[in-house]
Amino acid sequence: EVQLVESGGGLVKTGGSLRLSCAASGFNFDDYAIGWFRQAPGKERDGISGISIRGEHTYYDESVKGRFTISSDSAKKMVYLEMNSLKPEDTGVYYCAAFFWSRSWAPLFLGEADYWGQGTQVTVSS
């Protein structure tokens, strides 16, 4: 059974930090890229960061560049999103998702993935 399970969300004040984790199982982790998506209240789900096989390539949306860091541990089938200098506009449900890596971030931009997690809530208070 394919599973992506996010954890690490919570309530934090502006300027604070959180570390999200995504645990993957049930598929060949090394064939897939993992993306983090954020869905703010009343808005569409947007891809904000991604990491390719063995961490060779990473992507950051401009809204998080310089503040968020994505990393992976292939042996543990884990992907992490370190979020620093959080802002109220970072509030939303964060999903990790897996898409077959074809050296393109298009699935991240299009919101298309093969497997999705259930999401974890991040709330940044002002």
Side-chain angles (χ1 to χ4, degrees):
E1 179 188 7
V2 173
Q3 279 194 315
L4 289 168
V5 180
E6 303 96 335
S7 61
L11 173 64
V12 65
K13 293 182 179 180
T14 296
S17 299
L18 283 173
R19 187 195 196 205
L20 303 185
S21 299
C22 173
S25 62
F27 62 96
N28 191 350
F29 188 78
D30 288 339
D31 287 339
Y32 286 78
I34 302 293
W36 283 98
F37 295 77
R38 176 175 64 202
Q39 187 164 24
K43 296 188 177 181
E44 294 185 352
R45 188 162 54 188
D46 294 323
I48 58 170
S49 185
I51 190 164
S52 68
I53 298 169
R54 292 179 292 278
E56 292 175 347
H57 304 281
T58 58
Y59 166 82
Y60 297 97
D61 183 76
E62 285 298 323
S63 65
V64 304
K65 194 174 290 185
R67 299 187 298 123
F68 291 10
T69 302
I70 192 169
S71 61
S72 66
D73 185 331
S74 293
K76 296 181 178 179
K77 296 187 177 182
M78 295 289 295
V79 174
Y80 307 97
L81 187 68
E82 187 76 34
M83 306 188 297
N84 298 313
S85 302
L86 283 163
K87 307 173 182 179
E89 50 263 45
D90 292 319
T91 293
V93 179
Y94 284 68
Y95 300 87
C96 68
F99 51 94
F100 189 81
W101 180 241
S102 59
R103 307 183 76 82
S104 170
W105 295 115
L108 203 63
F109 306 146
L110 298 173
E112 298 175 349
D114 298 296
Y115 310 114
W116 290 90
Q118 83 289 349
T120 185
Q121 176 70 44
V122 171
T123 303
V124 184
S125 63
S126 56

